[in-house]
Amino acid sequence: MLPSPYERSLYALALLELFPPSLRESLISDSTFRRSYELKMDAQISFGDGAASIQRSKLFSSIREILKDNGAQPTLKDEAGEVWQLELVDKDNKCLIALSHGEHRRFLPDCSALSPDQTMRLNGFEREIEEVNLPKQAVTNWREVLSSGALPDDELVALHAEIKETPIRVAALVRSEIEKGKSSLPSLVPRSERYFDRLVGDCQQSLSITEYARTGARKHIDQLMSWRVYDGFLLSLLLSSHSLNLSAIEIAQIEEDSLIQAYEWLQSSGDRVSQLGAIEIGLSIMGRQPKIEPLVKDMIEQIRDDNVDGKQSRFQLLSALIIFVEGELAYTRVLREKPPFWRRLASIAQASLIEREIIGQAVDIAGFSRWTIQIGGQSFYLQTMVDLYREPRWHPDLVSPQQLKSEFIGRIINAANQNESSINAPAIRELLFGKTPESLQSLVEFPFPYLPGPLEGGIESQNEPPADIVSVIEERLSEDVLQPNSFAALVNSALIFRLDSYHAQLAAKALRAVKHQLRQAGDKEQLLSVLRGLATVAAVTRSNELAEELRMLTRRCQHEAGYNLSSEEAMQIGLIAAAAHSELAGWCEFVGEWITELAFRSLEFDEMLKLHSHVEQLCHIVPELWRTCGRAEAALSSVVSTRANPQT
């Protein structure tokens, strides 16, 4: 006998309780799912200052009443039993609904979609979309829905969510929370793929930043500039984490006064990434737009003078925000199916959007940076290590404030060299090309400005290693006795030049020839540098052979007195070397074997705790790892739980 509709609803509600909260919320939010099981969703609406909490269905019913009869003044009770009154109020040439109780008065978001009048519904919608720049397809769909009749409760919630998940509204929410001195994680990093599509453009089928800049970035920037040229330009600059995206910005569309206004805002209130994009664009048009020259010069000097070790360093803030946003995205797995370069583009854009709202506020940058790193640090680190199997040339330490500043300096110098003929003012020429201590050239320290950027992890270096470096690599790796410096030329070239399987084979052969022994490796930091460097060589050349030889070398170093490699250090080496496998299955097998070996070593309890935490987080990021890391996790969990609860 089939269950009745009522019984189906009860079964569905009971089963929902068995799901994790995130999955449960996703199912409940799905209107098709609710209709299938005849479920109705209601909620308590709490106003920001905690003055009232009102049942949503009753509030919406009262709003319908007042929209039907302008003279009506319906009342309703909140959870505490207090009576609130609704009324229509003219404010800023808009007809708004106010909710009042004594001295408390709250203006509600636009609810014209509940009106029985089609004109009111559509006019209210047009005002909203003009403000937030809703995508064309969404606009078309909602116009059709609103034309057919007043929205039921669930659809109004969906419309408000659609409008809320836009950069304009998210920026306003972030700003509001910062002003109140209290921010929430979902506000800072929305748990919505749709939102990030609107922030940086649809990834489409792009496999690299080069492809994306030609397709998704261009389409996204064109849409922003056609909406509002000034605001669209400033939003487009959030994509400046790679210079290729800037080619899609048609500066000729911007009137001179608006362009100067935008550069003035960027100079005084812009985030670092947008300032970098504006500098690169500014250097290319300075000959045609000489009025922006002092503004560009000042932004370059801001970047030059930023003390990355200082408490108010904007590079410290940017680094911390990138770690935080990437870490939150790893934890929520919102963009799990996206390629790493695109997710990082979205992360850096969101970090920069947050930075814009922090600038000028009374925020303790050093304290805020510590807070964000504490929240997102582990997830960021492990997510970036996971990403190596897809994009092996960008490591988590490359997000450091020092490296970010070096990358910015390198990009500015590169843009200056490309546009030297249009840069005529002596002061800015001296800043860009001079040899004085105040010039950018004095800050260039090889190899840091030439290392890959966060969106370039999957792009093979186009620089062939010079013949003399190749000669040194071959000579050093053919020596009868290997020392850490025998690998220096090879590992220092791994992220700068294009290495191939031949170079990795040389290293693997050399390790086998000396039976995985390194002489004069008394300095642990030097040893770690070599091991991480060889792991990087294995990753960028996709050399399984070198990765396996490195496994044996690391194992030997762990057991030899004097080195004391921690499990965390050994795991780091293994996760880098695992990127020799470009397919998920092979990568999971390698990581599983490496971590299982670590888990069954004799470890201190603190090491076990750290390793167990890392394994759990890795398996959360990549569920496929449970198959290969399950035995290690079970062993670590058993010991950790026994030590934590000795009475059991």
Side-chain angles (χ1 to χ4, degrees):
M1 182 177 176
L2 294 175
S4 68
Y6 175 71
E7 290 173 327
R8 279 170 50 82
S9 299
L10 286 179
Y11 293 153
L13 289 171
L15 288 171
L16 281 171
E17 292 299 319
L18 302 177
F19 287 96
S22 59
L23 184 54
R24 184 165 63 241
E25 290 171 11
S26 178
L27 287 169
I28 292 173
S29 300
D30 189 328
S31 59
T32 302
F33 175 82
R34 294 197 305 272
R35 284 195 299 270
S36 299
Y37 292 96
E38 298 187 21
L39 299 175
K40 292 185 178 180
M41 186 167 64
D42 204 351
Q44 291 292 122
I45 296 181
S46 297
F47 295 92
D49 56 5
S53 180
I54 298 173
Q55 193 172 346
R56 189 182 68 194
S57 58
K58 293 180 179 179
L59 177 62
F60 286 178
S61 178
S62 297
I63 293 172
R64 286 189 177 89
E65 182 180 343
I66 202 171
L67 290 174
K68 185 176 181 181
D69 178 4
N70 293 354
Q73 291 187 336
T75 60
L76 65 162
K77 291 183 179 181
D78 63 19
E79 266 195 326
E82 301 288 349
V83 177
W84 291 74
Q85 181 175 303
L86 271 74
E87 58 181 329
L88 284 176
V89 178
D90 286 326
K91 183 182 180 184
D92 301 329
N93 297 319
K94 294 181 182 179
C95 194
L96 303 176
I97 297 176
L99 186 65
S100 303
H101 169 69
E103 296 180 355
H104 295 285
R105 193 183 212 190
R106 301 290 176 267
F107 288 100
L108 302 181
D110 185 273
C111 293
S112 56
L114 297 176
S115 171
D117 181 81
Q118 183 191 68
T119 301
M120 178 179 280
R121 293 195 303 271
L122 291 175
N123 286 346
F125 180 63
E126 294 301 326
R127 287 194 300 270
E128 292 280 1
I129 63 175
E130 170 57 25
E131 178 190 349
V132 302
N133 186 31
L134 207 61
K136 290 181 180 179
Q137 187 58 54
V139 169
T140 300
N141 293 342
W142 281 110
R143 277 189 184 137
E144 183 178 342
V145 172
L146 290 164
S147 296
S148 63
L151 299 186
D153 292 2
D154 289 356
E155 288 198 7
L156 179 64
V157 172
L159 175 59
H160 282 173
E162 184 97 57
I163 292 169
K164 181 181 177 182
E165 291 175 357
T166 57
I168 297 296
R169 285 295 173 84
V170 168
L173 179 59
V174 169
R175 180 167 57 254
S176 172
E177 291 190 348
I178 290 174
E179 288 172 352
K180 294 174 182 176
K182 187 176 182 180
S183 297
S184 65
L185 298 184
S187 300
L188 294 170
V189 188
R191 300 179 178 186
S192 163
E193 182 176 322
R194 178 170 65 182
Y195 166 73
F196 288 101
D197 283 342
R198 293 171 179 178
L199 179 65
V200 298
D202 187 359
C203 180
Q204 300 176 347
Q205 301 299 315
S206 302
L207 298 177
S208 69
I209 183 58
T210 306
E211 292 181 17
Y212 176 73
R214 291 196 302 263
T215 55
R218 182 165 295 279
K219 181 179 178 181
H220 178 64
I221 290 172
D222 286 348
Q223 196 277 328
L224 287 174
M225 299 290 279
S226 65
W227 165 58
R228 292 179 186 167
V229 172
Y230 176 85
D231 294 322
F233 174 58
L234 293 180
L235 285 173
S236 297
L237 288 175
L238 291 173
L239 278 68
S240 299
S241 51
H242 202 285
S243 56
L244 286 176
N245 292 329
L246 302 177
S247 62
I249 300 177
E250 298 290 345
I251 291 296
Q253 297 181 45
I254 309 176
E255 298 289 341
E256 182 180 48
D257 289 346
S258 294
L259 183 66
I260 294 170
Q261 181 186 355
Y263 269 78
E264 288 173 342
W265 182 87
L266 288 160
Q267 180 233 5
S268 63
S269 306
D271 59 278
R272 280 286 183 256
V273 167
S274 295
Q275 286 182 333
L276 176 61
I279 290 168
E280 290 181 310
I281 291 172
L283 293 175
S284 70
I285 63 171
M286 201 172 289
R288 305 191 303 275
Q289 296 285 353
K291 291 182 180 179
I292 68 170
E293 182 221 307
L295 301 169
V296 171
K297 178 175 178 289
D298 185 79
M299 286 189 283
I300 295 173
E301 290 172 340
Q302 287 183 40
I303 290 171
R304 179 198 64 187
D305 298 338
D306 191 313
N307 176 13
V308 295
D309 297 317
K311 291 184 178 180
Q312 297 301 308
S313 169
R314 293 274 296 281
F315 281 112
Q316 284 275 4
L317 176 61
L318 175 59
S319 173
L321 286 171
I322 293 172
I323 290 170
F324 166 68
V325 176
E326 269 281 90
E328 271 297 288
L329 289 177
Y331 179 75
T332 60
R333 302 175 67 214
V334 168
L335 303 179
R336 180 176 183 252
E337 302 303 322
K338 301 293 187 180
F341 84 86
W342 188 91
R343 194 194 63 248
R344 289 193 197 117
L345 171 67
S347 295
I348 296 172
Q350 183 64 15
S352 301
L353 182 145
I354 298 170
E355 184 188 349
R356 286 183 178 184
E357 303 308 328
I358 289 176
I359 297 167
Q361 300 281 355
V363 175
D364 174 9
I365 289 180
F368 186 82
S369 298
R370 286 193 299 271
W371 175 72
T372 54
I373 291 175
Q374 184 179 10
I375 290 174
Q378 182 191 37
S379 294
F380 162 79
Y381 172 79
L382 293 176
Q383 177 67 70
T384 307
M385 286 301 205
V386 168
D387 291 336
L388 290 174
Y389 89 87
R390 300 172 72 182
E391 299 184 4
R393 295 184 65 238
W394 197 76
H395 292 197
D397 56 334
L398 295 180
V399 79
S400 70
Q402 294 80 3
Q403 178 55 34
L404 288 176
K405 181 174 179 177
S406 291
E407 182 185 348
F408 277 41
I409 295 295
R411 281 180 55 177
I412 293 170
I413 289 175
N414 186 53
N417 290 334
Q418 291 177 352
N419 298 282
E420 184 174 2
S421 61
S422 64
I423 303 171
N424 299 313
I428 198 167
R429 284 193 64 85
E430 179 60 32
L431 176 63
L432 295 169
F433 305 112
K435 302 299 182 182
T436 65
E438 291 76 28
S439 72
L440 289 193
Q441 300 289 339
S442 68
L443 300 178
V444 175
E445 183 181 352
F446 186 85
F448 303 110
Y450 308 100
L451 293 173
L455 310 190
E456 297 172 335
I459 300 177
E460 186 178 45
S461 173
Q462 299 305 301
N463 302 315
E464 292 288 346
D468 57 339
I469 290 182
V470 173
S471 177
V472 170
I473 291 173
E474 294 176 350
E475 180 182 339
R476 291 293 181 85
L477 294 182
S478 63
E479 294 173 344
D480 294 333
V481 177
L482 291 183
Q483 304 174 24
N485 61 12
S486 301
F487 297 96
L490 177 65
V491 301
N492 290 338
S493 300
L495 296 178
I496 303 295
F497 302 115
R498 181 166 55 204
L499 301 179
D500 56 34
S501 58
Y502 168 70
H503 301 101
Q505 288 170 0
L506 284 178
K509 181 180 178 182
L511 289 174
R512 284 195 300 271
V514 298
K515 297 181 172 56
H516 309 94
Q517 296 183 74
L518 295 182
R519 302 297 185 189
Q520 300 180 18
D523 186 334
K524 181 180 175 181
E525 285 305 312
Q526 185 184 33
L527 174 65
L528 281 173
S529 178
V530 169
L531 294 176
R532 286 193 290 257
L534 287 173
T536 300
V537 173
V540 298
T541 60
R542 303 296 195 183
S543 173
N544 298 341
E545 180 185 4
L546 179 55
E548 290 300 329
E549 300 301 332
L550 181 63
R551 187 206 300 269
M552 288 184 270
L553 175 60
T554 304
R555 183 186 298 144
R556 183 167 195 131
C557 290
Q558 285 179 285
H559 289 93
E560 288 189 9
Y563 297 144
N564 295 320
L565 292 186
S566 69
S567 60
E568 191 163 10
E569 291 163 342
M571 189 187 74
Q572 180 191 51
I573 296 163
L575 288 174
I576 298 172
H581 299 269
S582 60
E583 299 298 327
L584 180 60
W587 179 85
C588 286
E589 289 292 340
F590 188 95
V591 170
E593 291 173 5
W594 192 290
I595 286 179
T596 300
E597 184 173 330
L598 288 177
F600 284 91
R601 286 184 61 215
S602 176
L603 302 175
E604 296 293 330
F605 183 63
D606 286 348
E607 280 194 292
M608 286 189 179
L609 280 175
K610 287 183 181 179
L611 185 58
H612 182 240
S613 176
H614 289 334
V615 172
E616 283 193 318
Q617 186 63 26
L618 276 171
C619 291
H620 173 76
I621 294 171
V622 185
E624 292 85 350
L625 276 175
W626 281 111
R627 182 179 64 83
T628 61
C629 291
R631 195 159 66 95
E633 194 281 331
L636 292 166
S637 179
S638 175
V639 175
V640 168
S641 61
T642 300
R643 289 285 296 272
N645 302 285
Q647 70 276 13
T648 60

